[in-house]
């Protein structure tokens, strides 16, 4: 909505020519100057406004536009940043055009209105005005637009097999018993009793997400929905769990093709007791970013005498892997083993696993 000029003009025209047409204004929830003003029946000056939808971010709407909107606009709808990002994504999928956040307010508003109102069999017209997209915003928009995944925190017991069991309980947590995609998995060892994991999984909608969370709780998992947790979405999911003091920990990074079932195949191989040497997983980080190949970072606690056997075991995996135990970032941020500037040791298997 911004200062209200476009909304006031459209409302004036439509209510003159087609008075039966309902006019609905849309504002960002953190820049709701017109909504507040209409509610209080006077122009309100906001203390501060969010700048994500900067093309419509004003602290004070116009006096004339307020008078017109107050009398002619039927409703106002507020949308948050995630809903705006989803609208930008939907517009791109439908038209292959990229709207700026302010330009996608109408799309976000009509989507929310249809979802939350009782109206049916109606025709909607949306004005999408603005394509002044800052390229640097696209990464944020892509992450926050992903309404087809749910971000959660889960606590599991720190015992052998619990990690793989969680994967299967989640991946096949649906009525049809078909695999559900796991799009993000972040774990770092903290103590011997419990493991705390941040993960994302694919959903078909809000009802599906609610069903999965209920089923996981029935299975005994402690689950926290992080969908509305800004700190988790913006920061915690990327922090990796911090430092751990562990003897004989090694770190490997694996690359594998991003195809359905690839992560499951990787977990099955890594837990194959007949081929694997004794080790304990102490770190696991995976994020599906839509690329042809993806990366998994795995920390393992293994005795020195079994280290050679571990690499022989990994050679059978079929994925390219890199040892990162001497990586400077690992030493400084993820363990208490001192500093190093050694480059990663690259290990390439003789065949690829597809």
């Amino acid at each position: 909505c911004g200062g209200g000029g476009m909304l006031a003009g459209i409302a004036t025209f439509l209510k003159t020519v087609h008075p039966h047409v309902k006019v609905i204004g849309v504002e960002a929830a953190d820049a709701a100057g017109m909504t507040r003003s209409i509610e209080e029946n006077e122009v309100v000056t906001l203390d501060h406004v969010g700048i994500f939808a900067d093309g419509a971010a004003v602290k004070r709407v116009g006096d004339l536009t307020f008078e017109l909107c107050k009398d002619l606009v039927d409703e106002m709808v507020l949308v948050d940043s995630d809903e705006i990002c989803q609208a930008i994504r939907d517009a791109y999928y439908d038209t292959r055009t990229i709207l700026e956040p302010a330009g996608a307010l109408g799309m976000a508003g009509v989507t929310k209105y249809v979802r939350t109102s009782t109206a049916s069999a109606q025709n909607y017209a949306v004005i999408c005005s603005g394509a002044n997209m800052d390229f640097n915003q696209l990464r944020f928009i892509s992450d926050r637009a992903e309404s087809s995944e749910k971000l959660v925190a889960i606590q599991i017991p720190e015992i052998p097999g619990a990690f793989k069991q969680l994967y299967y309980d989640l991946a096949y947590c649906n009525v049809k018993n078909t695999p559900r995609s796991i799009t993000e998995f972040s774990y770092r060892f903290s103590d011997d009793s419990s493991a705390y994991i941040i993960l994302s999984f694919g959903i078909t909608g809000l009802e599906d997400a609610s069903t999965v969370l209920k089923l996981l709780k029935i299975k005994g998992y402690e689950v926290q929905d992080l969908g509305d947790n800004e700190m988790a979405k913006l920061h915690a999911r990327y922090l990796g769990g911090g430092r751990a003091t562990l003897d004989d920990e090694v770190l490997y990074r694996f690359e594998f093709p991003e195809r359905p079932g690839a992560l499951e195949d990787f977990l099955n191989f890594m837990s194959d007791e007949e081929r694997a040497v004794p080790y304990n997983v102490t770190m696991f980080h995976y994020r599906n970013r839509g690329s042809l190949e993806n990366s998994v970072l795995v920390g393992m606690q293994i005795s020195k005498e079994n280290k050679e056997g571990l690499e022989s075991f990994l050679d059978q995996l079929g994925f390219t892997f890199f040892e990162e135990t001497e990586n400077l970032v690992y030493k400084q941020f993820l363990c208490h083993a001192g500093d190093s500037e050694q480059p990663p040791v690259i290990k390439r298997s003789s065949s690829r696993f597809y």
Side-chain angles (χ1 to χ4, degrees):
C1 178
M6 181 183 293
L7 178 59
I10 291 172
T12 300
F13 173 79
L14 285 176
K15 292 301 183 180
T16 301
V17 179
H18 299 290
H20 64 283
V21 174
K22 197 171 186 177
V23 179
I24 302 171
V26 185
E27 289 186 299
D30 55 6
M34 186 63 76
T35 302
R36 285 276 309 281
S37 297
I38 292 175
E39 289 174 348
E40 300 189 21
N41 201 33
E42 63 178 358
V43 176
V44 174
T45 300
L46 302 177
D47 294 330
H48 62 274
V49 294
I51 61 171
F52 177 59
D54 56 352
V58 298
K59 290 186 176 181
R60 191 179 193 278
V61 300
D63 294 330
L64 177 58
T65 56
F66 163 70
E67 293 297 332
L68 292 170
C69 290
K70 179 186 66 170
D71 295 333
L72 301 176
V73 173
D74 296 283
E75 288 185 52
M76 295 295 296
V77 174
L78 300 182
V79 293
D80 59 28
S81 295
D82 287 359
E83 290 167 326
I84 296 172
C85 292
Q86 290 159 19
I88 294 172
R89 178 202 60 189
D90 293 342
Y92 175 76
Y93 285 161
D94 289 343
T95 67
R96 286 302 186 259
T97 56
I98 300 177
L99 299 170
E100 65 174 282
L105 283 173
M107 283 281 292
V110 73
T111 301
K112 183 174 184 177
Y113 184 81
V114 171
R115 186 179 70 244
T116 59
S117 74
T118 57
S120 61
Q122 302 291 319
N123 295 319
Y124 297 90
V126 179
I127 294 180
C128 301
S129 175
N132 185 26
M133 171 63 73
D134 183 343
F135 185 82
N136 294 323
Q137 286 184 309
L138 290 176
R139 175 166 32 185
F140 173 83
I141 291 169
S142 177
D143 278 344
R144 300 300 287 265
E146 197 48 77
S147 58
S148 60
E149 71 175 10
K150 170 62 71 175
L151 180 68
V152 299
I154 297 183
Q155 179 181 348
I156 64 174
E158 189 66 78
I159 58 175
F163 181 76
K164 184 178 178 181
Q165 186 62 49
L166 169 63
Y167 173 84
Y168 276 100
D169 286 341
L170 183 55
Y172 293 92
C173 192
N174 56 63
V175 176
K176 296 181 180 179
N177 201 37
T178 55
R180 180 185 301 276
S181 61
I182 310 299
T183 57
E184 180 178 6
F185 209 112
S186 182
Y187 154 74
R188 180 63 167 135
F189 175 86
S190 58
D191 59 58
D192 292 326
S193 59
S194 298
Y196 299 91
I197 297 168
I198 291 179
L199 62 84
S200 298
F201 56 90
I203 58 174
T204 58
L206 296 178
E207 185 176 349
D208 181 43
S210 177
T211 299
V212 173
L213 296 181
K214 289 178 182 178
L215 291 174
L216 288 174
K217 290 177 181 178
I218 290 174
K219 290 178 178 290
Y221 292 104
E222 293 187 25
V223 186
Q224 297 179 22
D225 184 352
L226 302 180
D228 295 323
N229 191 315
E230 286 298 305
M231 193 197 84
K233 291 192 288 186
L234 290 173
H235 302 289
R237 69 195 307 178
Y238 304 112
L239 293 179
R243 293 174 180 263
T245 303
L246 295 164
D247 295 329
D248 300 326
E249 184 181 49
V250 294
L251 187 68
Y252 286 87
R253 177 165 52 92
F254 300 86
E255 292 181 349
F256 57 80
E258 191 54 69
R259 56 165 177 77
L263 180 60
E264 181 178 350
D265 291 340
F266 176 81
L267 292 175
N268 284 335
F269 183 89
M270 294 296 290
S271 61
D272 188 339
E273 296 182 357
E274 294 184 2
R275 290 185 289 183
V277 294
Y279 69 89
N280 180 45
V281 174
T282 54
M283 184 194 312
F284 196 95
H285 184 265
Y286 163 77
R287 176 62 167 152
N288 183 341
R289 299 199 175 276
S291 57
L292 294 177
E293 286 194 332
N294 227 315
S295 177
V296 175
L297 187 66
V298 183
M300 292 172 277
Q301 192 175 24
I302 186 168
S303 62
K304 290 182 175 61
E305 56 268 22
N306 285 322
K307 174 71 183 303
E308 185 175 344
L310 173 65
E311 296 205 348
S312 297
F313 165 67
L314 295 179
D315 280 331
Q316 305 172 48
L317 180 58
F319 297 141
T320 297
F321 62 93
F322 308 78
E323 182 174 3
E324 301 281 11
T325 309
E326 300 300 323
N327 191 294
L328 176 65
V329 173
Y330 168 66
K331 296 294 187 182
Q332 289 185 336
F333 294 98
L334 297 172
C335 71
H336 291 283
D339 298 336
S340 175
E341 297 184 3
Q342 297 294 324
V345 177
I346 302 174
K347 297 288 184 179
R348 297 189 182 274
S349 59
S350 57
S351 62
R352 300 301 294 247
F353 187 78
Y354 287 94

